[in-house]
Amino acid sequence: MSLTSDLKSVTKSVTKNWTAQRKREERDSRARYSRAQYMQSDRVYQKDVAWSVIPKAYAKASSNGKYPAHARQIFYAARPEIQKRTGRPLQSVYFTQHLLPMYINEHPEAAAWWIVYDARGRLIEPHTDEQIPLGTLEVNNYLLSIGKHEVVGFDFHEAFDTDYPTKGPANRMSAVLFIEKEGFNELFKAVKLAERYDLSIMSSKGQSVVAARRLVDWLCDVGGGVPLLVLHDFDKAGLEIAQNLTTVSEAARESDRVRYEFRNEINVIDLGIRLTDVEQWHLEAESVRFKGDFGPDSIVTSDEQAFLRSNRRVELNAFASEDFIKWIEAKLKEHGIKKVIPDADTLADAYRRAYLIASINRHVDDFLDEARDEADEVQIPKRLAARIKKALREDPARPWDAVLADIAKEDLDEKAC
DNA sequence: ATGTTGATGTATGCTGAACG
DNA sequence: CGTTCAGCATACATCAACAT
């Protein structure tokens, strides 16, 4: 009696961990893979080590969150300890593209970390000379400036500037035109494509970066944004680049490698190249070895899959420049992309503003002679350099000429009173 | 000698696929 | 599963080969 119960309890205690593990496996099929650890494996995973090292590494790279930390800087901060504890070399690509994103996905507090990635590609606004590199910081600043933007009352410093002030899509762009490579920017510029259709042109270098997706998410949402027009090569990668710009792939979801979660549904129009374009425009295919497969969520039709599987692809570069522009313009027409004209309230405001500027500009010549004489005769203030020095001590980030301009204005104001 | 071209190797970010 | 690789795109540095 007591023997059996003893045996039973001993057996039970010995197999406890095993049983617990088996039960975990029933609950969670993932646990099955860690079964080996309970049996014989003594492998030290880079991932496990990374999980304990990453917070320290981030703190080090960012000075405890005070400054932005490059993903690569975090890698350098983390690498020595990870290599030491695993006894194996750690590749930067594995850390920055896999381990770090996975860590952030699994640790909610890390979402607030200030991690930055280099810019890839850019957004170019029509008419405003604004160029926004698609990097974490740059896109952040751009979105902030859109949020803060308001058209303030007329200011003398803009006297000669007849542009109506805008930031972002409102009253400025009809759509965002995305293209998977940068090489066509010069052509677009030459034919004034952006200006003639009020398009912002957004380009990447291969796969879109997180910053690009975030920007698309804010500029092109279905409820109130402008359309996103996508240009891509007709090959497996190009179609995936187009798809990944606006949606999270099943594969990324399953392997916990989601880089960006979209907040909005994106108003996206695929301009091509698709198979119909290849046929219509008689584009020449080049041969390339097809690899891989199309996911169940793929946008590629079965005809297209057959084409691509026959080891052919068509790049955007297969278009002659002129045809390329013709092709794009036909697509713009097809989708009703037209120049921007703001609503009546904005137009009224802009009209008053333009009228005011025109009126001031009319009198500027008169002012100019008078002001020039006054400036020629004015006494240069004593101790000017000392005043500038003092002001620079208070705000060392300013240049001398900005300070001097303030001083001149103060002196003039005083005299006028 | 000087200038241009092309190959090679480094770097960046991102993905799907494959390896063990 | 954890890990690595190959591929999309591109910039930049370096060096050899070639033309002027």
Side-chain angles (χ1 to χ4, degrees):
Chain A
M1 270 280 240
S2 69
L3 187 69
T4 25
S5 74
D6 279 349
L7 254 178
K8 211 171 172 183
S9 81
V10 165
T11 315
K12 211 172 176 181
S13 76
V14 162
T15 58
K16 206 169 79 186
N17 289 342
W18 168 259
T19 311
Q21 175 58 20
R22 287 296 297 173
K23 286 198 171 144
R24 266 198 293 278
E25 286 170 16
E26 278 155 26
R27 279 196 308 270
D28 179 1
S29 64
R30 271 187 186 189
R32 193 164 190 283
Y33 290 94
S34 47
R35 185 153 133 200
Q37 286 185 352
Y38 292 85
M39 297 165 75
Q40 75 271 14
S41 173
D42 56 350
R43 182 178 189 188
V44 183
Y45 288 114
Q46 294 178 328
K47 190 179 177 187
D48 294 334
V49 178
W51 258 226
S52 71
V53 173
I54 284 176
K56 283 183 278 179
Y58 170 70
K60 186 181 171 193
S62 68
S63 302
N64 295 312
K66 196 168 157 199
Y67 299 114
H70 227 278
R72 207 176 166 79
Q73 285 177 276
I74 302 174
F75 163 68
Y76 280 115
R79 183 169 61 177
E81 191 175 339
I82 295 176
Q83 286 186 343
K84 198 173 134 205
R85 281 163 60 180
T86 60
R88 278 173 297 150
L90 176 67
Q91 311 291 322
S92 69
V93 61
Y94 184 44
F95 184 85
T96 60
Q97 305 298 319
H98 300 254
L99 292 178
L100 189 57
M102 285 165 85
Y103 182 90
I104 294 164
N105 286 345
E106 290 179 22
H107 298 79
E109 76 280 2
W113 288 1
W114 198 6
I115 300 174
V116 301
Y117 291 85
D118 267 8
R120 279 282 172 290
R122 70 196 80 188
L123 175 87
I124 307 171
E125 277 195 357
H127 308 294
T128 62
D129 293 329
E130 280 261 27
Q131 279 206 26
I132 298 92
L134 300 179
T136 314
L137 293 173
E138 293 91 339
V139 165
N140 227 10
N141 291 338
Y142 180 62
L143 291 174
L144 277 175
S145 75
I146 293 175
K148 273 193 240 156
H149 178 69
E150 56 179 320
V151 179
V152 293
F154 177 72
D155 178 348
F156 178 76
H157 302 293
E158 294 170 41
F160 301 97
D161 188 359
T162 54
D163 294 351
Y164 189 76
T166 66
K167 265 287 178 220
N171 302 322
R172 185 52 67 196
M173 38 181 119
S174 60
V176 174
L177 179 69
F178 175 90
I179 182 161
E180 67 163 285
K181 51 190 112 187
E182 289 218 291
F184 292 105
N185 280 342
E186 290 305 311
L187 173 61
F188 292 153
K189 206 171 157 188
V191 301
K192 293 188 161 47
L193 185 72
E195 288 75 14
R196 287 191 292 113
Y197 292 89
D198 293 346
L199 299 170
S200 272
I201 294 175
M202 184 178 199
S203 47
S204 66
K205 302 175 184 176
Q207 290 290 352
S208 56
V209 291
V210 172
R213 291 169 203 187
R214 186 162 126 79
L215 190 51
V216 158
D217 201 3
W218 286 96
L219 300 185
C220 305
D221 72 299
V222 167
V226 295
L228 174 70
L229 315 168
V230 181
L231 294 172
H232 55 85
D233 292 343
F234 182 54
D235 57 16
K236 184 166 175 284
L239 289 151
E240 283 166 358
I241 287 169
Q243 211 172 345
N244 290 336
L245 177 63
T246 58
T247 52
V248 175
S249 73
E250 285 300 318
R253 181 78 66 200
E254 273 164 30
S255 59
D256 192 24
R257 280 165 55 188
V258 177
R259 302 300 302 271
Y260 181 75
E261 291 284 1
F262 291 90
R263 281 175 180 74
N264 303 301
E265 197 187 327
I266 310 300
N267 180 5
V268 58
I269 300 169
D270 181 8
L271 294 192
I273 303 175
R274 302 297 292 258
L275 186 55
T276 51
D277 301 306
V278 175
E279 287 159 356
Q280 262 180 43
W281 291 79
H282 308 292
L283 299 174
E284 202 177 326
E286 57 188 294
S287 71
V288 65
R289 199 159 64 90
F290 182 86
K291 270 198 231 171
D293 217 329
F294 295 96
D297 55 338
S298 172
I299 54 173
V300 186
T301 68
S302 55
D303 278 357
E304 290 174 327
Q305 293 196 16
F307 182 97
L308 298 170
R309 282 180 194 285
S310 70
N311 296 316
R312 287 179 291 172
R313 74 162 170 199
V314 182
E315 293 203 48
L316 289 165
N317 306 73
F319 272 109
S321 292
E322 209 179 334
D323 281 353
F324 186 50
I325 299 299
K326 273 190 202 154
W327 173 65
I328 293 174
E329 293 199 55
K331 296 264 177 178
L332 294 177
K333 199 173 170 193
E334 183 188 332
H335 292 102
I337 305 299
K338 293 192 197 116
K339 282 188 77 78
V340 170
I341 299 177
D343 61 32
D345 284 351
T346 309
L347 288 180
D349 181 48
Y351 184 83
R352 286 194 195 286
R353 186 184 188 90
Y355 196 92
L356 175 62
I357 293 169
S359 172
I360 289 173
N361 280 345
R362 243 185 102 202
H363 297 292
V364 152
D365 283 345
D366 302 341
F367 290 141
L368 209 57
D369 285 341
E370 200 182 309
R372 196 171 275 144
D373 289 346
E374 197 183 332
D376 283 346
E377 285 160 23
V378 75
Q379 282 261 312
I380 305 301
K382 292 195 174 87
R383 303 185 56 254
L384 184 56
R387 280 170 79 183
I388 292 173
K389 220 183 238 174
K390 182 166 172 270
L392 290 182
R393 262 202 302 279
E394 280 160 27
D395 189 352
R398 300 187 77 199
W400 65 270
D401 47 345
V403 174
L404 182 137
D406 281 355
I407 292 172
K409 186 177 180 300
E410 271 168 40
D411 291 351
L412 183 65
D413 287 349
E414 231 166 79
K415 211 188 305 179
C417 286

